[in-house]
Structures are given as C-alpha cells and as structure tokens.
C-alpha cells in the first residue's frame, strides 16, 4: 500500500507523480472587497505542490454564486491576474493544480447580494446558518431560476472555466456536491420544478450535464472533473 501511493497515475490529461491528492479546503484568505487571491495563497499552495494533484479551494464563478467570507472568485480580470502567481508558484515547484468551480445557490446569504434573494433550482430555504462577514445568520428563502437564467448561469460557468485557463490552472473540477447549486438541481428535496429541469432523474441531471458540456468546450473532457455527493 505504501509503495502504491507513490506510484504515478494519469487523471485524464494530467500526469500525477503520486496518488496522494490534496482535497479542496475552504480557507477564507482572499482579499475583500473583490474576493481576490492573495500572496498568502501563493505560499500555501506552493508548500503543498508535492501532492500528486491539488484541487483548489472552492472558487466562486460569479458574484451571485459566492457566499463565503473572503473566499476567492474567478469572474473578474483582477481575480484572474491574482491567481496567476499562485499557479506559477505551484508549477515552479513541479506541482499540478486544478480549480474547483463553485456556485453556492440557496446557501448564499442576501448579505452578499445587496439584499437580493439567492437563487436555486426551486424556491426553498436551506436549513441551518450562513457564515457572513458580520457573523452567523439564518439562511433566507431562495427564488427559483427561470429557464432563461439557467442558460445564463451555464455561461457563467463557461466564462469561469475560460478564466481558469487564462490563470494557468491545469484543469477544473465542477463542485456538484454538498448541497450547493448543482446538488440543489439533482436532489428531489430541493428540485421541485415541473419543467425540463425537474421531475425525472434525467431532467434533474440536465443542469449538471449542460454545465459539464460548457466546461468540456473550454478544456476538453480530459481536464474536467466533477465532485458529487452520493446520497
């Protein structure tokens, strides 16, 4: 077992020198306002470049999708430029790093959205509390995305994927787990829709499929992964 962990493995187009992968770890070290990566993050990821593959902390694809204090984003030019020294530091240390793309859906508190309601597959409210810049607060009701807005969110993912490529990442992972937006479409408890995005398992997976299609258009299938929560 010990020897096997240190054997190389190829994950799609990414050749990894060992099988010890670094999981995504939400840290809250980005600069606010702007959700911009910082020099501290360069050091953090460079120090871990000996992993076979680093999966970055969850990174917001849009203002609408990010609801964690001081987490980084990938929607603005400033964020892209600030990620470049991070990926460069990992690559100079002979590491590999992919960006985890994150839309939190109904778990974005209105405090992050200028008071506007968060979006989700359906008009539901998440249980528990949100972390906000001013402390823990109850989640608030989300509104359902229209079909037209779903298409716009898919394009937000596409833009984020293109930004990740410009920032120097080796690929992307779609965060489709842990009760965030993609997961909210997949689950019957949060997807109450009666259109082509709700009802059957195939319909509930339609949003996931469309987002993955957009990511593959940018990166190719061999540099795109997806994180799911079996339940």
């Amino acid at each position: 077992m010990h020897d096997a962990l240190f054997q190389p493995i190829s994950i799609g187009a990414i050749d990894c020198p060992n099988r010890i992968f670094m999981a995504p770890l939400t840290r809250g070290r980005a600069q606010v306002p702007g959700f911009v990566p910082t020099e501290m993050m360069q050091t953090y990821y460079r120090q871990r470049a000996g992993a076979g593959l680093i999966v970055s902390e969850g990174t917001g694809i849009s203002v609408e999708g990010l609801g964690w204090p001081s987490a980084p984003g990938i929607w603005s030019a400033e964020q892209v430029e600030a990620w470049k020294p991070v990926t460069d530091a990992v690559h100079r240390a002979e590491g590999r790093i992919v960006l985890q793309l994150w839309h939190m859906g109904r778990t974005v508190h209105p405090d992050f959205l200028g008071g506007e309601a968060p979006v989700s597959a359906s008009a539901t409210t998440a249980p528990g509390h949100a972390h906000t810049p001013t402390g823990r607060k109850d989640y608030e009701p989300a509104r359902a995305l229209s079909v037209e807005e779903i298409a716009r969110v898919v394009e937000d993912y596409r833009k984020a994927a293109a930004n990740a490529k410009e920032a120097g990442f080796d690929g992307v992972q779609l965060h489709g787990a842990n009760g965030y937006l993609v997961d909210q479409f997949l689950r019957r408890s949060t997807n109450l829709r009666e259109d082509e995005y709700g009802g059957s398992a195939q319909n509930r997976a339609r949003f996931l499929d469309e987002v993955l299609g957009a990511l593959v258009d940018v990166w190719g299938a061999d540099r795109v992964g997806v994180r799911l929560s079996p339940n």
Side-chain angles (χ1 to χ4, degrees), residues 24 55-62 65-66 72-75 83 98-104 153-165 169 171-177 180-183 207-208 211-212 214-216 218-219 223-227:
V55 182
S56 82
E57 62 204 281
T59 300
I61 66 160
S62 62
L66 185 56
I74 191 65
W75 65 81
W83 273 116
V98 298
L99 185 70
Q100 188 184 72
L101 299 173
W102 197 21
H103 191 307
M104 295 173 61
V153 174
V154 172
E155 291 308 304
D156 288 344
Y157 274 105
R158 187 190 305 273
K159 172 86 179 321
N163 284 348
K165 179 175 278 191
F169 286 92
V172 292
Q173 183 191 73
L174 172 61
H175 197 336
Y180 297 121
L181 183 62
V182 173
D183 209 23
F207 177 63
L208 167 65
V211 173
L212 283 174
L215 304 186
V216 169
V218 174
W219 278 96
R223 291 186 182 270
V224 173
V226 59
R227 175 177 178 145

Side-chain angles (χ1 to χ4, degrees), residues 3-11 14-19 21 52:
D3 289 341
L5 284 173
F6 291 94
Q7 295 303 308
I9 187 171
S10 294
I11 303 297
I14 303 174
D15 296 324
C16 307
N18 62 67
R19 302 174 185 218
F21 290 6

